[in-house]
Amino acid sequence: MAKILLVEDDTTFSQILQGFLPRNGHEVVAVNNIRNALAQLDDQAFDLLLLDYRLPDGTGLEVMAHAHNKGLKTPAVMMTSFNDVRTAVKAIQAGAADYITKPVNPDELLMILKSALSEKSDQKEETVKTTKSAQAGTTSYPGFIKGTSAESDKLYEYIDLVAPTDMSVVIQGESGTGKEHAARFIHERSKRADKPFIAIDCGALSKDLAASELFGHIKGAFTGALTDKKGLFEVADGGTLFMDEIGNLSYDVQVKLLRALQENTIQPLGSTKQIKVDVRIIAATNDDLLSSVSNGDFRQDLYHRINEFKIQIPALRERGRDVQLFINHFITIANQELERNVKSISPEAMELLNRYDWPGNLRELKNVIKRMVLLTRGEEAGAESLPDEMSNYITHLPVTPPADADLKALNEANEKAVIQQTLQKVKYNKSKAAKLLNIDRKTLYAKIERYGLDS
């Protein structure tokens, strides 16, 4: 049984979930706004957060941020009724374990909750498992597959080149492109392969706890420090420390990190003892760290210390024939996990998968394929098993003009698509739509009538 904090302002939907989730073995505490959610987090512990994105006093991201600032590693699943996967990607980038769009499919919700809770359990055991596997001389991570496109060939050429060295590496790429997989690949091909590989999400660390997580502390170093604790640098000694979203570290922690890398020593909080460590750093970021340096958010000397070699992970939409390879791979994994027997995808569904731009990259593709397999009882998955937001996105893509295209007609087609997409996004609230489109309401009404777009 998992204890779930449900934050949902739709009373009817909240009541449905409060009935459905306990019947499937979960305990639910339900609130309808951020203020009450934060009070619950301060008062008791939860195994999972199930959050509506849009709330009366803000967004579910604020609840996640509060949990992170308290040092909680509680997984969060975001719910949105806006059929916009870009909102979900924003939540994933902020640290959400997964997302689901309304109306919620019951089987899909249970699958996502199970997956998020399983990831939490895996994270708890990661340090122990990594150390044990290192002692045994093995490192493994299921679910990974190399691509065969020219972009993938270039990526793994760089990985093979830098892996045997001790150079620090910065891996740059969009959310969901597989930066941690690339880091693990580098570690497995390095001289440190028989030592620990430790991964940490710097974006999930609160300012107060980041130094303790990285460098450790002694008993009594601060309020709540009831015992001595080893930092991840010490745990990873001899091996590799993968620091995801390193740009989120505070200035004070950046100073300590630079000193640790320059001197190969750490000093636990509250201690006067210097501990020698030998750790290779692989850092990852969604953003260009140079911009953070220019803005004064990231130390230039630290940037040059960790950026001895940079690897750019291509977005999924740039990887050509790899998409089909990944689809087949994720179908195989989903069939095993969900006890299904999907062998193919219908031509219509495959066309939609190929036309979609995949803002969430491999992570999003894996979730979409898993959903398709879940909803398919036979051997062929159809377009009806795709999320609504994907179909809506494809429907409103600008039309590719033929050679003899009429420019006026093409502009009108694109304008119609943009207006229709905006209206759906704001649930046909014409005042909001006019504001987003930067036109007056009278003009919007005229165009709605002209294009026959009224709901």
Side-chain angles (χ1 to χ4, degrees):
M1 174 184 286
K3 188 174 182 180
I4 297 174
L5 175 60
L6 170 64
V7 188
E8 170 61 66
D9 64 325
D10 183 327
T11 304
T12 302
F13 183 52
S14 178
Q15 289 176 346
I16 291 173
L17 290 179
Q18 289 178 64
F20 172 72
L21 292 173
R23 288 199 301 272
N24 286 274
H26 301 299
E27 178 185 350
V28 178
V29 175
V31 295
N32 61 6
N33 58 43
I34 293 172
R35 179 173 56 83
N36 291 336
L38 302 190
Q40 289 293 337
L41 283 174
D42 290 339
D43 186 55
Q44 54 186 314
F46 293 92
D47 298 306
L48 185 137
L49 309 177
L50 185 55
L51 311 170
D52 190 16
Y53 184 78
R54 298 284 182 184
L55 293 161
D57 48 349
T59 72
L61 297 179
E62 295 174 50
V63 181
M64 287 173 48
H66 184 75
H68 288 157
N69 289 336
K70 286 177 63 67
L72 303 176
K73 300 186 183 297
T74 312
V77 173
M78 195 68 67
M79 301 182 292
T80 174
S81 58
F82 285 81
N83 286 335
D84 184 0
V85 75
R86 282 149 186 80
T87 297
V89 170
K90 184 178 179 181
I92 294 292
Q93 290 174 336
D98 213 329
Y99 72 94
I100 188 169
T101 54
K102 302 174 184 177
V104 171
N105 177 285
D107 289 337
E108 182 184 4
L109 176 60
L110 291 177
M111 176 189 73
I112 287 174
L113 296 182
K114 180 180 179 182
S115 176
L117 290 166
S118 296
E119 286 182 12
K120 179 185 179 184
S121 298
D122 292 343
Q123 288 171 359
K124 284 183 176 179
E125 299 173 6
E126 180 65 25
T127 298
V128 174
K129 289 167 65 179
T130 304
T131 304
K132 285 183 177 179
S133 65
Q135 291 170 346
T138 63
T139 49
S140 62
Y141 46 102
F144 178 68
I145 185 171
K146 291 172 62 175
T148 59
S149 66
E151 293 78 10
S152 289
D153 288 343
K154 182 179 179 181
L155 169 63
Y156 289 104
E157 178 185 348
Y158 282 177
I159 287 176
D160 289 338
L161 184 67
V162 76
T165 75
D166 262 342
M167 296 173 71
S168 297
V169 180
V170 169
I171 301 177
Q172 193 167 296
E174 296 178 8
S175 178
T177 48
K179 295 187 288 294
E180 183 173 343
H181 284 311
R184 288 182 181 271
F185 219 65
I186 291 171
H187 175 74
E188 282 200 340
R189 280 153 181 71
S190 75
K191 301 169 186 175
R192 301 170 179 264
D194 61 341
K195 298 295 183 180
F197 176 92
I198 304 296
I200 183 170
D201 180 2
C202 299
L205 294 176
S206 69
K207 180 179 178 180
D208 295 332
L209 294 178
S212 170
E213 286 291 325
L214 291 172
F215 311 116
H217 64 252
I218 64 172
K219 180 180 179 181
F222 52 85
T223 303
L226 304 179
T227 60
D228 291 355
K229 176 184 176 180
K230 280 188 177 183
L232 294 182
F233 263 82
E234 194 172 354
V235 174
D237 188 29
T240 303
L241 179 60
F242 173 63
M243 304 182 70
D244 197 9
E245 293 310 314
I246 193 171
N248 288 315
L249 292 177
S250 68
Y251 186 87
D252 291 343
V253 176
Q254 289 179 37
V255 172
K256 290 183 173 67
L257 176 58
L258 178 62
R259 187 181 303 121
L261 297 179
Q262 289 177 333
E263 301 175 6
N264 290 324
T265 60
I266 60 169
Q267 183 174 327
L269 299 186
S271 173
T272 58
K273 181 182 178 183
Q274 299 283 331
I275 300 174
K276 293 289 290 183
V277 290
D278 173 23
V279 175
R280 182 186 194 176
I281 295 294
I282 301 180
T285 176
N286 292 335
D287 304 315
D288 186 354
L289 280 179
L290 270 178
S291 298
S292 298
V293 170
S294 300
N295 297 333
D297 297 324
F298 199 81
R299 289 180 60 100
Q300 186 174 35
D301 47 7
L302 177 58
Y303 171 77
H304 290 303
R305 178 61 185 79
I306 64 174
N307 187 35
E308 293 182 315
F309 192 88
K310 181 180 288 184
I311 292 177
Q312 180 72 39
I313 307 288
L316 182 58
R317 59 184 171 276
E318 300 168 355
R319 297 183 70 164
R321 64 175 181 267
D322 285 348
V323 176
Q324 182 64 63
L325 185 69
F326 292 135
I327 288 173
N328 294 338
H329 179 63
F330 290 144
I331 287 176
T332 300
I333 293 175
N335 276 334
Q336 293 172 350
E337 291 182 4
L338 303 174
E339 298 182 351
R340 294 286 196 270
N341 190 35
V342 174
K343 295 181 177 179
S344 62
I345 294 178
S346 72
E348 180 186 4
M350 187 59 71
E351 181 183 0
L352 293 175
L353 290 171
N354 286 327
R355 291 185 65 197
Y356 189 56
D357 71 344
W358 299 108
N361 292 290
L362 283 169
R363 183 187 292 117
E364 183 185 2
L365 175 62
K366 181 179 181 180
N367 289 346
V368 167
I369 296 301
K370 194 170 185 178
R371 180 185 194 274
M372 293 180 74
V373 170
L374 176 71
L375 298 177
T376 302
R377 299 295 180 181
E379 295 185 350
E380 182 179 80
E384 70 281 353
S385 62
L386 288 168
D388 291 339
E389 64 267 21
M390 281 189 62
S391 301
N392 291 339
Y393 172 83
I394 299 298
T395 301
H396 299 122
L397 278 177
V399 179
T400 302
D404 58 347
D406 180 284
L407 185 59
K408 181 179 179 182
L410 178 62
N411 287 337
E412 289 180 350
N414 286 339
E415 181 180 66
K416 176 182 178 180
V418 171
I419 293 174
Q420 185 173 16
Q421 192 171 14
T422 303
L423 286 169
Q424 290 179 335
K425 183 176 181 179
V426 299
K427 298 183 179 179
Y428 285 84
N429 183 318
K430 297 181 179 64
S431 295
K432 288 184 179 179
K435 186 175 181 179
L436 287 174
L437 293 166
N438 199 26
I439 58 177
D440 58 59
R441 282 184 292 175
K442 184 177 179 181
T443 301
L444 177 61
Y445 292 149
K447 291 183 181 294
I448 288 174
E449 183 176 356
R450 178 180 180 181
Y451 296 131
L453 295 177
D454 214 342
S455 59

